[in-house]
Amino acid sequence: REFDAANDDLRELASSRGTDDSMAVDDEEEAEVDAVAAEDSDDEDDANVAANDEEDEDEDSGSMTLGGIKRRRDSARSIRQMAVKCLAKMFELQPPQFDFTPYVACIYEQVVDPRIDNLTYENTQNSSALLLLLRSWSLSPKYFPYLVDYNPLAFKMLLGILAVPTAHSSVVSLVLDVLQTLLDYSPAVAVEKHFLAEAEAAERAVLVGRTIQGHVSQILSHMRTCFTSDVLSLATTQQQQQAGKPSGAVTQAMRQIHILSRVAEYATKQGRDAKALLDILLPILKRPNRTVPERTKNDVLKVMLRFVPLVLDSQDAGLTADEKQKLFAVYLEAVSSAFGRIRLDTARATLSQLLVLLAGFGQEGSGPTPLQNAAAVIEGINSYSTERLSEPDFERRLAAYAQLNEDMWSRPDLLDAQAWVPVLYNLKYFAQDHDELSIRSNAAYGLSRYITRVSQACQSEPESAETMLLGRGLTSIVIPAIKHAFTSKHEPVRAEFLGILRKAVRECGPYFAQLRDLMKLDNADEEANFFYNLVHIQQHRRQRALRRFRALVVDSIQAAPELMEVDEENGGESQASDDDDEDAQQSKGSTKTPKAHLQAISPLNFTSGEKELVLSPANIRDLIIPLFEHWVLNEDGSVHHELANDAIYAIGALGSVLPWTQYSSALNRYLGLVKKMPKLEKRLTRLILAFMDNFHFDLRQ
């Protein structure tokens, strides 16, 4: 009352002096220096300069009156804020024997209602006493009715803070606390912890459900403001800068996603907001786990599970049939690609549910569609035991693999090119399982079956749309999976995918440029086959494969004439020594290549116009060098030094055919590894020297 009286006095003073009434401010506004205050400040300065002027003395007298009123108002504001904070503290203490209900109507009349209209904009930078009071009513189920029953605007304006782009994170966090408390409400916990009767606890559950249901549209609309691309990109940048430590922005964004996944359970008709939120959240699924944890991705998938039907099946989103079909393709691609990255079992179960949901979109006819068949197979190969926690259901998984690899792979009516896409991502994921041999081998066999299917399609219908889609699956899913697997530290995984690459080269090499040059390494004789011998159990077979490969690279380029003269002076050593001679050198315990041999493959003057490259630079960089590097960079001592030396010379020979960008990138990486891997300093030094010996760029140009 004292604060309101001071504001009335200020308005009367402003009216008598011919100014506006902007001096009368509300509780949270800090506009203490208004028009009249500024005018009186100037008048006080004039009074000090001309103390004998009677008019200035009158103004000074008026200024003192204004100052007294303002001090009285500020004092009243402080007292009132302290009173509201004390009131909020009383609710936070939750006295079990005290009933606040008779006083709530008065609290609303005197404290809440006069300032509820400005609640959203007065709490953007700091939490006011009124906001703390509203938050205190969410701390106990006994006080839930105080938050929503007395004034419908209270909860609405509270949620409105989420829509303010400039709202401080601490304020947004407080509002999220209120939302999460309501979403986490459990009648059993209310009875046990807050001593509510069972009937009263059930009533509170109905109240919470009605409140969330009634504000779903507002919450989803405000979440669209929270999840802008700029905010998410900023969060990712902060996360990367802190080297894996979650920042405040990242943590809050993850929390908002979790709350959104809970609110989505109440959404029924908000198609337009659902589409906008899905457009913002879908890119999160593609972010690495070091920036977005898989539990957060699982929350995004739960949001999709609820929102996708709202967008594709309802009319509320206002989409045409063509727009829905395009969105269906986007959602299917997002779900399919997520199968190849996400490891969390609960998230993969949610992905399976999503795929089943998408497979039923626009279904016509009684029989299952190819996508529904794929969804059933994927659900089987991702199944877990119902009796043991987090243990795969091997019986269901192997049955699903058998159905795919024996019955469905060759029949387009059961599994067409579109249905193969999510299946391929699952096979790619499980083929990299280094622990379970049965799962890995069956998944790799499924990829081999797909390669055969692509080869058959290219032979029978090379120009059809189905064949084009099948070929796209090979080039965009299978081959990148092979490249990624070659970087794995587990040798069984590398060996499995090397076999897949061998089959792809043999059956699909003539039809795809990415594989055509690798056909030079595939020999019908297993004794001379590069792919077969490179992972052979016998070490000398691996060494022979490396030496033959190095000889192939050396023979494919033209040596500089002056280097050949140097070779003749040193005894006429050939560029590529015979396998038996090299075996003899290794048997004598020599770990160094003869000087003449090193000179034979040192700075080679490669001319692309005269002779064709044995392999494309892309395949050398992505497939060959990663395979050889595992033997060079092995730190556990499991690789024999002779095999490591042969790998060093093979990589060095490849340096003679790499373009400058790839050559400099590889050399800089090896130089950087010297400090990171001190145990391998000598081996890395030999690798760097072998690489630099094959520097083939003409610096004079």
Short mmCIF file of all heavy atoms in Angstrom, two decimals, residues 514-553:
data_model
loop_
_atom_site.label_atom_id
_atom_site.label_comp_id
_atom_site.label_asym_id
_atom_site.label_seq_id
_atom_site.Cartn_x
_atom_site.Cartn_y
_atom_site.Cartn_z
N GLN A 514 34.44 -46.13 -58.74
CA GLN A 514 35.15 -46.16 -57.46
C GLN A 514 35.87 -47.49 -57.23
O GLN A 514 36.82 -47.56 -56.46
CB GLN A 514 34.17 -45.91 -56.31
CG GLN A 514 33.63 -44.50 -56.26
CD GLN A 514 32.62 -44.34 -55.13
OE1 GLN A 514 31.42 -44.41 -55.35
NE2 GLN A 514 33.12 -44.11 -53.94
N LEU A 515 35.39 -48.55 -57.90
CA LEU A 515 35.95 -49.89 -57.67
C LEU A 515 36.76 -50.39 -58.85
O LEU A 515 37.49 -51.39 -58.73
CB LEU A 515 34.81 -50.89 -57.39
CG LEU A 515 33.91 -50.57 -56.20
CD1 LEU A 515 32.74 -51.54 -56.15
CD2 LEU A 515 34.69 -50.63 -54.89
N ARG A 516 36.66 -49.72 -59.98
CA ARG A 516 37.26 -50.27 -61.20
C ARG A 516 38.78 -50.39 -61.08
O ARG A 516 39.37 -51.39 -61.51
CB ARG A 516 36.86 -49.40 -62.38
CG ARG A 516 37.16 -50.03 -63.74
CD ARG A 516 36.54 -49.21 -64.85
NE ARG A 516 35.09 -49.20 -64.73
CZ ARG A 516 34.35 -48.09 -64.68
NH1 ARG A 516 34.93 -46.90 -64.72
NH2 ARG A 516 33.02 -48.15 -64.58
N ASP A 517 39.45 -49.39 -60.52
CA ASP A 517 40.91 -49.45 -60.43
C ASP A 517 41.39 -50.51 -59.45
O ASP A 517 42.51 -51.01 -59.56
CB ASP A 517 41.48 -48.08 -60.06
CG ASP A 517 40.93 -47.58 -58.73
OD1 ASP A 517 39.82 -47.99 -58.38
OD2 ASP A 517 41.62 -46.79 -58.06
N LEU A 518 40.55 -50.87 -58.47
CA LEU A 518 40.93 -51.89 -57.50
C LEU A 518 40.91 -53.29 -58.09
O LEU A 518 41.42 -54.23 -57.46
CB LEU A 518 39.99 -51.84 -56.29
CG LEU A 518 40.05 -50.57 -55.44
CD1 LEU A 518 38.95 -50.58 -54.39
CD2 LEU A 518 41.41 -50.44 -54.76
N MET A 519 40.34 -53.44 -59.29
CA MET A 519 40.31 -54.76 -59.93
C MET A 519 41.73 -55.24 -60.24
O MET A 519 41.95 -56.45 -60.39
CB MET A 519 39.46 -54.70 -61.20
CG MET A 519 37.99 -54.41 -60.94
SD MET A 519 37.02 -54.26 -62.47
CE MET A 519 37.13 -55.94 -63.08
N LYS A 520 42.69 -54.32 -60.36
CA LYS A 520 44.07 -54.72 -60.61
C LYS A 520 44.67 -55.51 -59.45
O LYS A 520 45.65 -56.23 -59.63
CB LYS A 520 44.92 -53.47 -60.87
CG LYS A 520 44.43 -52.63 -62.03
CD LYS A 520 45.15 -51.31 -62.10
CE LYS A 520 44.57 -50.41 -63.18
NZ LYS A 520 45.23 -49.09 -63.21
N LEU A 521 44.08 -55.34 -58.25
CA LEU A 521 44.60 -56.04 -57.07
C LEU A 521 43.93 -57.38 -56.85
O LEU A 521 44.34 -58.14 -55.97
CB LEU A 521 44.42 -55.16 -55.83
CG LEU A 521 45.03 -53.77 -55.86
CD1 LEU A 521 44.69 -53.01 -54.59
CD2 LEU A 521 46.53 -53.85 -56.05
N ASP A 522 42.87 -57.67 -57.61
CA ASP A 522 42.11 -58.91 -57.41
C ASP A 522 42.58 -59.95 -58.41
O ASP A 522 42.35 -59.83 -59.61
CB ASP A 522 40.62 -58.63 -57.57
CG ASP A 522 39.77 -59.85 -57.27
OD1 ASP A 522 40.11 -60.57 -56.31
OD2 ASP A 522 38.79 -60.09 -58.00
N ASN A 523 43.24 -60.95 -57.92
CA ASN A 523 43.78 -62.02 -58.76
C ASN A 523 42.99 -63.29 -58.51
O ASN A 523 42.65 -63.62 -57.36
CB ASN A 523 45.26 -62.23 -58.44
CG ASN A 523 45.97 -63.02 -59.51
OD1 ASN A 523 45.49 -64.05 -59.96
ND2 ASN A 523 47.12 -62.52 -59.94
N ALA A 524 42.69 -64.01 -59.59
CA ALA A 524 41.93 -65.25 -59.44
C ALA A 524 42.70 -66.29 -58.63
O ALA A 524 42.10 -67.15 -57.98
CB ALA A 524 41.58 -65.81 -60.83
N ASP A 525 44.01 -66.21 -58.67
CA ASP A 525 44.84 -67.12 -57.89
C ASP A 525 44.98 -66.58 -56.47
O ASP A 525 45.49 -65.49 -56.24
CB ASP A 525 46.23 -67.22 -58.54
CG ASP A 525 47.14 -68.20 -57.79
OD1 ASP A 525 46.62 -68.93 -56.92
OD2 ASP A 525 48.34 -68.21 -58.08
N GLU A 526 44.50 -67.35 -55.51
CA GLU A 526 44.53 -66.88 -54.13
C GLU A 526 45.95 -66.67 -53.63
O GLU A 526 46.18 -65.86 -52.73
CB GLU A 526 43.79 -67.87 -53.22
CG GLU A 526 42.27 -67.82 -53.37
CD GLU A 526 41.58 -68.63 -52.31
OE1 GLU A 526 42.28 -69.34 -51.55
OE2 GLU A 526 40.33 -68.54 -52.21
N GLU A 527 46.90 -67.38 -54.18
CA GLU A 527 48.28 -67.22 -53.75
C GLU A 527 48.80 -65.82 -54.07
O GLU A 527 49.70 -65.31 -53.40
CB GLU A 527 49.17 -68.26 -54.43
CG GLU A 527 48.93 -69.69 -53.95
CD GLU A 527 49.39 -69.89 -52.51
OE1 GLU A 527 50.34 -69.21 -52.10
OE2 GLU A 527 48.79 -70.71 -51.81
N ALA A 528 48.23 -65.19 -55.10
CA ALA A 528 48.69 -63.86 -55.52
C ALA A 528 47.62 -62.79 -55.30
O ALA A 528 47.82 -61.64 -55.71
CB ALA A 528 49.09 -63.90 -57.00
N ASN A 529 46.53 -63.14 -54.66
CA ASN A 529 45.44 -62.18 -54.47
C ASN A 529 45.77 -61.24 -53.31
O ASN A 529 46.03 -61.68 -52.18
CB ASN A 529 44.13 -62.92 -54.19
CG ASN A 529 42.94 -61.99 -54.21
OD1 ASN A 529 42.70 -61.24 -53.27
ND2 ASN A 529 42.18 -62.04 -55.29
N PHE A 530 45.76 -59.94 -53.59
CA PHE A 530 46.12 -58.94 -52.58
C PHE A 530 45.13 -58.96 -51.41
O PHE A 530 45.54 -58.96 -50.24
CB PHE A 530 46.14 -57.56 -53.24
CG PHE A 530 46.29 -56.41 -52.27
CD1 PHE A 530 47.53 -56.09 -51.74
CD2 PHE A 530 45.19 -55.65 -51.89
CE1 PHE A 530 47.67 -55.04 -50.85
CE2 PHE A 530 45.32 -54.60 -51.01
CZ PHE A 530 46.56 -54.29 -50.49
N PHE A 531 43.84 -58.99 -51.69
CA PHE A 531 42.82 -58.91 -50.63
C PHE A 531 42.85 -60.15 -49.74
O PHE A 531 42.66 -60.05 -48.52
CB PHE A 531 41.42 -58.76 -51.25
CG PHE A 531 41.27 -57.53 -52.09
CD1 PHE A 531 41.15 -57.62 -53.47
CD2 PHE A 531 41.24 -56.27 -51.52
CE1 PHE A 531 41.00 -56.49 -54.25
CE2 PHE A 531 41.10 -55.14 -52.29
CZ PHE A 531 40.99 -55.24 -53.66
N TYR A 532 43.10 -61.29 -50.34
CA TYR A 532 43.10 -62.53 -49.56
C TYR A 532 44.34 -62.64 -48.67
O TYR A 532 44.25 -63.04 -47.51
CB TYR A 532 43.01 -63.73 -50.51
CG TYR A 532 43.05 -65.06 -49.82
CD1 TYR A 532 41.93 -65.57 -49.17
CD2 TYR A 532 44.21 -65.84 -49.81
CE1 TYR A 532 41.95 -66.79 -48.52
CE2 TYR A 532 44.25 -67.06 -49.17
CZ TYR A 532 43.12 -67.53 -48.53
OH TYR A 532 43.16 -68.74 -47.88
N ASN A 533 45.49 -62.27 -49.21
CA ASN A 533 46.74 -62.47 -48.48
C ASN A 533 47.03 -61.38 -47.46
O ASN A 533 47.83 -61.59 -46.55
CB ASN A 533 47.91 -62.56 -49.47
CG ASN A 533 47.91 -63.88 -50.23
OD1 ASN A 533 48.31 -64.91 -49.71
ND2 ASN A 533 47.44 -63.84 -51.46
N LEU A 534 46.43 -60.21 -47.63
CA LEU A 534 46.76 -59.10 -46.75
C LEU A 534 46.36 -59.37 -45.30
O LEU A 534 46.95 -58.82 -44.38
CB LEU A 534 46.09 -57.81 -47.25
CG LEU A 534 46.64 -56.51 -46.69
CD1 LEU A 534 48.09 -56.32 -47.09
CD2 LEU A 534 45.81 -55.32 -47.15
N VAL A 535 45.34 -60.20 -45.07
CA VAL A 535 44.92 -60.53 -43.70
C VAL A 535 45.07 -62.02 -43.45
O VAL A 535 44.39 -62.57 -42.58
CB VAL A 535 43.45 -60.08 -43.47
CG1 VAL A 535 43.36 -58.58 -43.43
CG2 VAL A 535 42.53 -60.64 -44.54
N HIS A 536 45.94 -62.66 -44.21
CA HIS A 536 46.15 -64.10 -44.03
C HIS A 536 46.76 -64.37 -42.66
O HIS A 536 47.51 -63.56 -42.12
CB HIS A 536 47.06 -64.64 -45.14
CG HIS A 536 46.97 -66.12 -45.31
ND1 HIS A 536 47.69 -67.00 -44.53
CD2 HIS A 536 46.24 -66.89 -46.17
CE1 HIS A 536 47.43 -68.23 -44.89
NE2 HIS A 536 46.55 -68.20 -45.89
N ILE A 537 46.47 -65.54 -42.11
CA ILE A 537 46.96 -65.87 -40.78
C ILE A 537 48.48 -66.04 -40.77
O ILE A 537 49.13 -65.84 -39.75
CB ILE A 537 46.26 -67.16 -40.27
CG1 ILE A 537 46.58 -67.37 -38.78
CG2 ILE A 537 46.65 -68.36 -41.10
CD1 ILE A 537 45.78 -68.48 -38.15
N GLN A 538 49.06 -66.40 -41.93
CA GLN A 538 50.51 -66.57 -42.02
C GLN A 538 51.16 -65.22 -42.34
O GLN A 538 50.79 -64.55 -43.30
CB GLN A 538 50.85 -67.59 -43.11
CG GLN A 538 50.35 -68.99 -42.80
CD GLN A 538 50.67 -69.97 -43.91
OE1 GLN A 538 50.88 -69.58 -45.06
NE2 GLN A 538 50.72 -71.25 -43.58
N GLN A 539 52.14 -64.87 -41.54
CA GLN A 539 52.75 -63.55 -41.68
C GLN A 539 53.48 -63.38 -43.01
O GLN A 539 53.42 -62.31 -43.63
CB GLN A 539 53.72 -63.30 -40.52
CG GLN A 539 54.42 -61.95 -40.61
CD GLN A 539 55.34 -61.71 -39.44
OE1 GLN A 539 54.89 -61.73 -38.30
NE2 GLN A 539 56.62 -61.49 -39.72
N HIS A 540 54.16 -64.41 -43.48
CA HIS A 540 54.93 -64.26 -44.72
C HIS A 540 54.01 -64.01 -45.91
O HIS A 540 54.41 -63.37 -46.89
CB HIS A 540 55.81 -65.49 -44.95
CG HIS A 540 55.06 -66.72 -45.36
ND1 HIS A 540 54.80 -67.03 -46.68
CD2 HIS A 540 54.52 -67.72 -44.62
CE1 HIS A 540 54.13 -68.17 -46.73
NE2 HIS A 540 53.95 -68.61 -45.50
N ARG A 541 52.75 -64.48 -45.83
CA ARG A 541 51.80 -64.20 -46.91
C ARG A 541 51.42 -62.72 -46.89
O ARG A 541 51.24 -62.10 -47.94
CB ARG A 541 50.56 -65.08 -46.75
CG ARG A 541 50.81 -66.57 -46.87
CD ARG A 541 50.84 -67.02 -48.32
NE ARG A 541 49.53 -66.98 -48.92
CZ ARG A 541 48.68 -68.02 -48.94
NH1 ARG A 541 49.01 -69.17 -48.37
NH2 ARG A 541 47.53 -67.91 -49.55
N ARG A 542 51.32 -62.16 -45.72
CA ARG A 542 51.02 -60.73 -45.62
C ARG A 542 52.20 -59.91 -46.17
O ARG A 542 51.99 -58.94 -46.90
CB ARG A 542 50.75 -60.34 -44.17
CG ARG A 542 49.55 -61.03 -43.55
CD ARG A 542 49.25 -60.46 -42.18
NE ARG A 542 48.15 -61.17 -41.52
CZ ARG A 542 47.55 -60.76 -40.40
NH1 ARG A 542 47.97 -59.66 -39.79
NH2 ARG A 542 46.57 -61.46 -39.88
N GLN A 543 53.41 -60.31 -45.79
CA GLN A 543 54.58 -59.58 -46.28
C GLN A 543 54.68 -59.67 -47.80
O GLN A 543 55.00 -58.69 -48.48
CB GLN A 543 55.85 -60.14 -45.64
CG GLN A 543 55.96 -59.86 -44.16
CD GLN A 543 57.23 -60.44 -43.56
OE1 GLN A 543 57.20 -61.45 -42.86
NE2 GLN A 543 58.35 -59.82 -43.85
N ARG A 544 54.39 -60.83 -48.36
CA ARG A 544 54.46 -60.99 -49.81
C ARG A 544 53.42 -60.11 -50.49
O ARG A 544 53.69 -59.53 -51.56
CB ARG A 544 54.24 -62.46 -50.16
CG ARG A 544 54.48 -62.78 -51.64
CD ARG A 544 54.34 -64.25 -51.88
NE ARG A 544 55.28 -65.02 -51.07
CZ ARG A 544 55.24 -66.34 -50.94
NH1 ARG A 544 54.31 -67.03 -51.56
NH2 ARG A 544 56.14 -66.96 -50.19
N ALA A 545 52.22 -59.99 -49.88
CA ALA A 545 51.19 -59.11 -50.47
C ALA A 545 51.66 -57.66 -50.46
O ALA A 545 51.43 -56.92 -51.44
CB ALA A 545 49.89 -59.27 -49.70
N LEU A 546 52.31 -57.24 -49.39
CA LEU A 546 52.81 -55.86 -49.32
C LEU A 546 53.90 -55.62 -50.36
O LEU A 546 53.94 -54.56 -51.01
CB LEU A 546 53.34 -55.57 -47.92
CG LEU A 546 52.29 -55.41 -46.80
CD1 LEU A 546 52.97 -55.34 -45.45
CD2 LEU A 546 51.45 -54.18 -47.03
N ARG A 547 54.80 -56.59 -50.55
CA ARG A 547 55.89 -56.41 -51.50
C ARG A 547 55.37 -56.39 -52.94
O ARG A 547 55.83 -55.60 -53.77
CB ARG A 547 56.92 -57.52 -51.32
CG ARG A 547 57.64 -57.45 -49.99
CD ARG A 547 58.43 -58.71 -49.74
NE ARG A 547 58.93 -58.72 -48.37
CZ ARG A 547 59.43 -59.81 -47.78
NH1 ARG A 547 59.47 -60.96 -48.43
NH2 ARG A 547 59.87 -59.75 -46.54
N ARG A 548 54.42 -57.25 -53.24
CA ARG A 548 53.85 -57.25 -54.58
C ARG A 548 53.11 -55.94 -54.85
O ARG A 548 53.15 -55.41 -55.96
CB ARG A 548 52.91 -58.44 -54.74
CG ARG A 548 53.64 -59.76 -54.96
CD ARG A 548 52.66 -60.88 -55.22
NE ARG A 548 53.36 -62.10 -55.60
CZ ARG A 548 53.08 -63.30 -55.13
NH1 ARG A 548 52.12 -63.44 -54.23
NH2 ARG A 548 53.75 -64.35 -55.54
N PHE A 549 52.44 -55.46 -53.84
CA PHE A 549 51.74 -54.19 -54.02
C PHE A 549 52.75 -53.07 -54.27
O PHE A 549 52.54 -52.22 -55.16
CB PHE A 549 50.91 -53.87 -52.77
CG PHE A 549 50.20 -52.56 -52.84
CD1 PHE A 549 48.99 -52.43 -53.50
CD2 PHE A 549 50.74 -51.42 -52.25
CE1 PHE A 549 48.34 -51.22 -53.57
CE2 PHE A 549 50.10 -50.20 -52.31
CZ PHE A 549 48.89 -50.10 -52.97
N ARG A 550 53.86 -53.07 -53.52
CA ARG A 550 54.86 -52.02 -53.72
C ARG A 550 55.47 -52.13 -55.12
O ARG A 550 55.70 -51.11 -55.80
CB ARG A 550 55.95 -52.13 -52.65
CG ARG A 550 56.94 -50.97 -52.69
CD ARG A 550 57.87 -51.00 -51.50
NE ARG A 550 58.93 -51.98 -51.65
CZ ARG A 550 59.08 -53.04 -50.88
NH1 ARG A 550 58.23 -53.27 -49.89
NH2 ARG A 550 60.08 -53.89 -51.08
N ALA A 551 55.71 -53.31 -55.57
CA ALA A 551 56.25 -53.51 -56.92
C ALA A 551 55.27 -53.02 -57.98
O ALA A 551 55.68 -52.43 -58.99
CB ALA A 551 56.58 -54.98 -57.14
N LEU A 552 53.98 -53.25 -57.74
CA LEU A 552 52.97 -52.79 -58.69
C LEU A 552 52.95 -51.28 -58.78
O LEU A 552 52.84 -50.69 -59.87
CB LEU A 552 51.59 -53.32 -58.27
CG LEU A 552 50.40 -52.93 -59.15
CD1 LEU A 552 50.54 -53.56 -60.53
CD2 LEU A 552 49.10 -53.38 -58.50
N VAL A 553 53.10 -50.61 -57.63
CA VAL A 553 53.12 -49.15 -57.62
C VAL A 553 54.36 -48.63 -58.34
O VAL A 553 54.30 -47.70 -59.16
CB VAL A 553 53.06 -48.61 -56.17
CG1 VAL A 553 53.25 -47.10 -56.15
CG2 VAL A 553 51.75 -48.98 -55.53
#
